[in-house]
Every structure is written in C-alpha cells, then in structure tokens.
C-alpha cells in the first residue's frame, strides 16, 4: 500500500491517476523555506526515489494565489552563526539535488512570486507553468550572498549567459512575459488555471509509457553534459533499454488494434 506521511510545512495529494501534487504550505510567511520544510521536502523526495508507488509525474506548487515561494526564511536565519547557516544550507543543497534526481518528471506550477531559493526550486523542476501574476528574481546579491542552490547554473542553461548575468548581478525582478520570452517558463496561464493546466499536462505525461518518460528525462539531462557524438551514443543506449519491455510490446499492439495502450511500467 502506497502512503506518504503527514507533513507540517508541505501537503501531498494523489490527483487522478499517477499524479502527485506537492504544495509548499507556509502561506503566512510567503511559503518561505525554513529548516523544517527543507527536512520534509528531502524526506519526501527520498521516499519517492525509493518507492514511487503509482506516481509517474509530480506537480509542485505553493499554497495561496500570490506566492510560490519567497526563498529562504530570513527571520529564521537572522542571528544564525556561520556554522548554523552552513549546516542549514547543506540540508537545502541535499534537498534540491534530490529533487533534481527524481527519475520521473516534476512540473512547477508557479502560482505567484518565485524569488531567490523559490525560483531555484522551480528551476530544479523539469519545466515551469506560471501564473500571469508571477514575478521572478534571484535577489541574493542584494543580501550580500549569491545563489547557492543551482541558480548560477540552471538560469544560464535556460536563458543564456548574458541574460542570466544581468538577472543575477542586478537582483531585479522580472515578470511572466519576460520569463516566457527568455525561455525560463514554458507557458503563462490565467491565475486560476495555472495548477489546472499543469495537472492536465501531468496527466498527458502520466498516460504515456513511464519507462520511456524516465529514459527521456535521463537522456536529456546527462546527454546535455556530453559532446554531441557521445550524447548520441548515450541516447541509443537509453533507447535500447526499452526495446524488450512489456510496455513497448503493448504500445505497438495497441496501435495496430486501434485502441489506447495500457502501460504498466514494465
């Protein structure tokens, strides 16, 4: 029986078939990331890697309709010693990297502002749907620090080096239209439809062969770090793992029988 624990700072819910909705749930403090939320997200991601159960796609959003995540909880951090700050940041680093390591797709439904670590969390997802009211920024430079959860690496890969350096070095916010034009987000939605549209896309993905989806994610992620010929070889290896699966046989059979395939992840 697949079951997840109850958390204090996040909520989880299975939506329709094979989709897990995860909600950052500290709306009273703009869904800011504190130590407890970091621990709970790390626990959740580790559990999903170890035993995904029926989950084939995750949608990550924030509680309320104004804020996705404001980044680190600066009230909690106020007065921390260097050692305390570093211990907390190491926890956040593990949580972000474990999110990246999830083998199945994660869609960020950015329902409002995504600043600093909140934007970094969204960028650790596979792609982003954003509300028309969403604004984005990496504001760390205005606080005497810099992004430390992938911001200086994921942002240039999304928008290019020159645009990323401007965003990172100024700390200025930008809106959803700029984010769409620059390639940071995939789609801009009406505010009340952001989550709904992300869930619709998650349902489309979850209806496809799950082993194929996983291999695609792996091929894109690791192939992008290789020179092109090696990446081609990596892609073919990923492809070859699918040839003898039950799902591949089912897909071809269903096509010829003119029916919808029933994929079982085998």
């Amino acid at each position: 029986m697949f079951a997840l624990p109850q958390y204090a700072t996040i909520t989880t819910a299975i939506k329709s078939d094979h989709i897990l909705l995860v909600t950052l749930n500290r709306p009273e403090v703009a869904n800011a990331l504190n130590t407890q939320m970091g621990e709970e997200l790390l626990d959740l991601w580790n559990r999903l890697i170890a035993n995904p159960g029926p989950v084939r796609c995750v949608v990550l959003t924030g509680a309320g309709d104004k804020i996705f995540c404001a980044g680190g909880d600066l009230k909690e951090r106020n007065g921390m010693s260097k050692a305390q700050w570093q211990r907390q940041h190491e926890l956040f680093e593990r949580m972000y990297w474990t999110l990246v390591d999830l083998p199945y797709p994660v869609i960020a439904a950015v329902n409002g502002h995504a600043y600093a670590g909140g934007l970094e969390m969204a960028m650790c997802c596979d792609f982003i749907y954003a509300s028309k009211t969403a604004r984005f920024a990496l504001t760390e430079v205005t606080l005497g620090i810099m992004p430390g959860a992938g911001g200086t690496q994921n942002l240039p890969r999304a928008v290019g080096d020159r645009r990323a350096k401007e965003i990172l070095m100024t700390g200025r916010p930008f809106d959803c239209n700029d984010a769409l034009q620059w390639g940071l987000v995939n789609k801009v939605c009406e505010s009340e439809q952001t989550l709904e549209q992300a869930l619709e896309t998650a349902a489309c993905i979850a209806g496809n062969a799950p082993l194929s989806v996983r291999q695609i994610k792996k091929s894109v992620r690791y192939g992008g770090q290789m020179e092109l010929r090696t990446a081609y070889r990596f892609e073919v290896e990923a492809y070859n793992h699918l040839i003898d699966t039950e799902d591949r046989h089912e897909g071809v059979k269903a096509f010829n029988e003119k029916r919808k395939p029933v994929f079982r992840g085998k």
Side-chain angles (χ1 to χ4, degrees):
M1 180 88 179
F2 179 78
L4 292 170
Q6 295 288 318
Y7 296 107
T9 65
I10 59 177
T11 64
T12 61
I14 294 290
K15 307 292 285 187
S16 65
D17 292 335
H18 308 299
I19 302 165
L20 179 68
L21 175 63
V22 179
T23 304
L24 308 176
N25 192 33
R26 301 185 71 219
E28 69 283 359
V29 290
N31 298 321
L33 179 63
N34 66 355
T35 300
Q36 185 173 9
M37 182 183 281
E39 291 171 344
E40 292 182 348
L41 285 168
L42 178 59
D43 180 78
L44 174 61
W45 305 143
N46 276 323
R47 286 175 183 271
L48 290 173
I49 289 172
N51 176 26
V55 175
R56 297 182 183 178
C57 192
V58 175
V59 174
L60 177 64
T61 193
D65 58 2
K66 295 181 179 179
I67 302 288
F68 173 74
C69 177
D73 188 334
L74 296 183
K75 289 186 178 179
E76 182 186 51
R77 283 182 160 183
N78 189 35
M80 277 187 177
S81 67
K82 177 182 178 181
Q84 290 171 326
W85 187 294
Q86 288 181 328
R87 280 197 299 271
Q88 186 198 57
H89 200 272
E90 287 170 2
L91 165 67
F92 292 168
E93 291 166 28
R94 292 196 302 275
M95 181 272 290
Y96 280 86
W97 277 111
T98 309
L99 169 58
V100 171
D101 285 339
L102 286 177
Y104 31 80
V106 184
I107 304 171
V110 176
N111 53 303
H113 296 358
Y115 282 11
L119 176 51
E120 289 180 296
M121 192 182 307
M123 289 193 294
C124 284
C125 299
D126 291 286
F127 53 89
I128 302 171
Y129 281 12
S131 162
K132 280 189 173 180
T133 62
R135 287 176 67 80
F136 305 86
L138 290 170
T139 55
E140 288 86 349
V141 71
T142 70
L143 300 172
I145 53 175
M146 63 173 278
T152 65
Q153 303 306 307
N154 288 326
L155 187 65
R157 285 165 168 80
V159 305
D161 286 357
R162 292 180 182 275
R163 181 70 65 186
K165 284 185 280 190
E166 179 185 9
I167 292 168
L168 290 159
M169 293 175 183
T170 64
R172 292 173 182 162
F174 53 96
D175 65 21
C176 62
N177 295 318
D178 285 336
L180 180 66
Q181 179 183 346
W182 297 339
L184 179 64
V185 307
N186 289 51
K187 189 173 187 178
V188 173
C189 312
E190 296 294 337
S191 299
E192 66 278 5
Q193 295 178 357
T194 307
L195 179 57
E196 177 185 345
Q197 293 192 26
L199 290 169
E200 286 178 1
T201 297
C204 178
I205 292 170
N208 290 326
L211 297 178
S212 300
V213 172
R214 290 187 182 198
Q215 290 296 87
I216 288 168
K217 178 169 178 173
K218 184 187 298 183
S219 184
V220 172
R221 179 183 174 191
Y222 292 105
Q225 300 170 25
M226 303 172 187
E227 55 85 22
L228 189 56
R229 186 172 293 274
T230 304
Y232 281 157
R233 293 296 184 187
F234 185 85
E235 178 186 75
V236 171
E237 287 299 312
Y239 173 91
N240 285 336
H241 279 291
L242 300 169
I243 292 175
D244 200 34
T245 62
E246 292 181 18
D247 281 355
R248 197 273 298 174
H249 290 284
E250 165 64 9
V252 174
K253 184 178 179 181
F255 176 84
N256 284 288
E257 294 176 355
K258 296 180 172 57
R259 61 174 175 81
K260 185 177 180 180
V262 179
F263 294 121
R264 303 186 185 280
K266 295 181 181 180

